[in-house]
Structures are given as C-alpha cells and as structure tokens.
Amino acid sequence: MENCIFCKIIKGEIPSVKVYEDEDMLIIKDVNPQAKIHLLLLPKEHYADITEMSDAQAQTLARCLKKLSTMVDALGLNDGFRLVSNKGAHACQSVGHLHIHILGGNQLGDRMC
C-alpha cells in the first residue's frame, strides 16, 4: 500500500526498532508505548484488518502468533502479555494496516486491565 506507514516500515523506508522478523511478519517496538513492553506484530502483506484476510492468510497469522508464544523469554514477556487488535476507527484502529499490539511487562497498568 503506497501511503501506509506500516508498509513503509516493513520495506525499510521508515526506521523502526525491530525485535523479530521472518518471511511473514515483523515485530517492532511501538513508538508510543502504552505498557512497559509494547510491541507491534505486523503481517508483511497489507490488509486493512483481519476481515480482509483469506482463510490461508489467517492461518499464516495464527502461525505467527504461535511463534510469538515461543519467544516470550527473549521478548521479556514471561510474566504475561496481552494481544490486542483493533478493527476500524470506532475501535481505535489508527493505522489501516492489520497489526497486533503485544502488551506486557511486570506492570500492565490499571488502564490495561
């Protein structure tokens, strides 16, 4: 997508702090963290939200989430984490590229629970 900030990050056109990358996804640190640990899982293919994905694409996303579960120690999430995906402006989706917030740390904070 031409004007998508996350597509530009994935292509390396905009700098980011990459935490993990493979052929299907990129995990970066959120520039405006809402928790002690706030990461974003970005599928490398552009979808506005999960409703645009085919079943096969959703299975790829599920594999990415399963892989995330094996990286909790490396990501500092061994005390627990929360996954959040917003769909649409009324649900506070601020970027029109499917992304999953990964929130964690010792203290998620009152507004996160």
Side-chain angles (χ1 to χ4, degrees), residues 25-49:
M25 72 172 165
L26 174 65
I27 299 175
I28 62 171
K29 289 187 176 183
D30 193 298
V31 296
N32 186 24
Q34 302 297 307
K36 184 176 180 182
I37 299 171
H38 189 164
L39 309 171
L40 299 174
L41 185 152
L42 309 172
K44 288 190 172 180
E45 280 194 63
H46 181 90
Y47 316 99
D49 57 59

Side-chain angles (χ1 to χ4, degrees), residues 74-88:
L75 297 175
L77 299 169
N78 47 353
D79 286 335
F81 61 95
R82 172 182 289 212
L83 301 175
V84 177
S85 181
N86 304 321
K87 186 226 176 282

Side-chain angles (χ1 to χ4, degrees), residues 8-71:
K8 290 179 180 182
I9 289 171
I10 291 164
K11 292 177 187 173
E13 297 172 3
I14 295 176
S16 66
V17 178
K18 294 179 183 179
V19 175
Y20 178 81
E21 183 173 16
D22 66 20
E23 63 278 356
D24 297 314
M25 72 172 165
L26 174 65
I27 299 175
I28 62 171
K29 289 187 176 183
D30 193 298
V31 296
N32 186 24
Q34 302 297 307
K36 184 176 180 182
I37 299 171
H38 189 164
L39 309 171
L40 299 174
L41 185 152
L42 309 172
K44 288 190 172 180
E45 280 194 63
H46 181 90
Y47 316 99
D49 57 59
I50 198 162
T51 65
E52 290 190 355
M53 300 177 94
S54 69
D55 288 348
Q57 293 161 334
Q59 288 174 349
T60 298
L61 179 61
R63 281 193 301 277
C64 293
L65 291 172
K66 178 61 178 163
K67 190 178 290 185
L68 170 67
S69 73
T70 68
M71 299 185 302

